[in-house]
Amino acid sequence: MAEIIDGKKISQQIKDELKDKVEALKANGKTGALAVIQVGEDPASSVYVRNKKNACAYIGIESLAYELPEETSEEALLKLIGELNEKEQVKGILVQLPLPNHICEDKIIQAISLKKDVDGFHPQSVGAMTIGEPGFLSCTPAGVIQLLKRSNVEISGKHCVVIGRSNIVGKPMALLMLRENATVTVTHSRTQNLKEICRQADILIVAMGKPRFIGAEYVKEGAVVIDVGIHRDENNKLCGDVKYEEVQQVASAITPVPGGVGPMTIAMLMSNCVQSIEEE
Ligand code: GUN
């Protein structure tokens, strides 16, 4: 039976460390706010945005909520970002994705000042991460690294297989594991022999976006399995990309859904916000 990697507990530890840091920064006159922008009313996005605001309140930083109607124009959103870029108190700007189809996400991401890009999605933030320069790391992959490190999983020299190549998770995940000296294989929807490749992984990171797809036959005995997926099944129950019940029989450690990677994304966002306040 696998050890459960408890993302809820680890994210709580991180938020408590950040809370102390924020208090110390305040004593030195350093404060700041996170601006959270949501366009439209996608219910999943609303939950994420609410959780982000609650996390800010918990660690003691201000959050400014901008809830804009679905029909908001790209120009109006760009104008708001321009204003927030100039506001001294605002140390982080987060635009919740996905955006409505009439708004170009790339254009919006690139409009955010590098110094306030706490999501780490700006091409220059991604470039800095790629070459190991300082900058904001994208939150979900950074959260996975923290989960592994704080669970004492050795990364260096291990074979890590990442399933998925999205800009938000798969690609930065592979780069961060490489930075930690793993040997990394990136797989995706066109990969042939996916099962055979996954069975070679010491650490299998699943971010494919297919509910309960990865069964025990994809997992080497004793591997560590990280499930980045989050879905609602036919009974409205949350599940990941991994068949948890059967994979936990062969893995040595596994993240549950919910309570695995999800809470870590928000903890790392808070970490980026605190870093931004520190660096002012
Ligand atoms: N949508 C899904 N995940 C994320 C995230 O980490 N940041 C933002 N801004 N939008 C998202």
Side-chain angles (χ1 to χ4, degrees):
M1 278 291 257
E3 174 201 337
I4 296 169
I5 299 179
D6 187 344
K8 220 173 147 184
K9 191 167 116 194
I10 296 172
S11 67
Q12 188 62 46
Q13 281 168 1
I14 293 174
K15 284 189 289 183
D16 286 334
E17 291 163 16
L18 291 170
K19 193 176 177 178
D20 291 345
K21 224 173 189 177
V22 167
E23 213 171 274
L25 284 166
K26 267 187 194 156
N28 286 324
K30 285 192 166 187
T31 62
L34 169 66
V36 182
I37 305 171
Q38 183 181 358
V39 184
E41 289 168 13
D42 173 60
S45 288
S46 299
V47 173
Y48 293 137
V49 165
R50 191 176 63 226
N51 289 341
K52 289 170 186 177
K53 288 191 277 194
N54 288 342
C56 284
Y58 184 81
I59 69 161
I61 63 177
E62 190 186 355
S63 63
L64 306 171
Y66 296 86
E67 280 150 23
L68 309 178
E70 179 85 18
E71 58 276 11
T72 302
S73 68
E74 189 175 277
E75 293 70 36
L77 184 54
L78 287 170
K79 183 165 173 280
L80 173 62
I81 292 170
E83 288 163 8
L84 294 171
N85 280 341
E86 295 302 316
K87 261 197 187 160
E88 201 165 319
Q89 178 65 2
V90 172
K91 297 293 193 287
I93 302 172
L94 181 141
V95 180
Q96 187 64 32
L97 303 179
L99 287 168
N101 286 334
H102 66 275
I103 300 178
C104 173
E105 283 184 358
D106 286 345
K107 218 167 162 180
I108 297 302
I109 288 169
Q110 290 178 37
I112 296 171
S113 158
L114 261 192
K115 279 160 63 183
K116 303 189 179 187
D117 178 35
V118 286
D119 251 334
F121 291 165
H122 192 289
Q124 266 178 268
S125 301
V126 178
M129 175 192 65
T130 306
I131 60 171
E133 289 279 311
F136 294 116
L137 300 180
S138 71
C139 302
T140 300
V144 170
I145 299 286
Q146 283 301 312
L147 275 182
L148 294 169
K149 286 192 170 173
R150 290 176 185 242
S151 305
N152 299 315
V153 174
E154 173 86 30
I155 303 175
S156 178
K158 300 294 181 196
H159 185 194
C160 172
V161 174
V162 179
I163 313 181
R165 55 171 159 179
S166 70
N167 289 339
I168 292 185
V169 184
K171 280 184 211 159
M173 190 71 250
L175 288 163
L176 285 186
M177 289 301 277
L178 188 59
R179 200 159 121 167
E180 297 294 333
N181 302 309
T183 302
V184 181
T185 302
V186 184
T187 67
H188 47 80
S189 53
R190 307 282 176 90
T191 295
Q192 295 177 358
N193 306 324
L194 180 65
K195 201 180 297 176
E196 287 68 28
I197 296 169
C198 289
R199 287 182 65 85
Q200 294 169 22
D202 302 309
I203 302 171
L204 180 62
I205 302 179
V206 190
M208 65 198 309
K210 290 189 182 168
R212 291 200 180 105
F213 187 90
I214 296 297
E217 72 276 18
Y218 284 81
V219 180
K220 179 171 77 175
E221 182 87 37
V224 173
V225 179
I226 304 291
D227 188 353
V228 185
I230 183 146
H231 315 274
R232 289 219 175 255
D233 70 7
E234 54 288 354
N235 302 317
N236 208 32
K237 205 172 155 241
L238 287 171
C239 70
D241 291 348
V242 174
K243 291 176 183 163
Y244 182 84
E245 296 303 332
E246 62 175 71
V247 170
Q248 70 160 345
Q249 307 287 332
V250 289
S252 64
I254 186 169
T255 58
V257 177
V261 174
M264 293 301 291
T265 299
I266 294 184
M268 299 321 289
L269 173 69
M270 294 302 110
S271 171
N272 281 347
C273 290
V274 172
Q275 185 185 324
S276 187
I277 294 170
E278 270 177 325
E279 284 170 359
E280 73 175 351

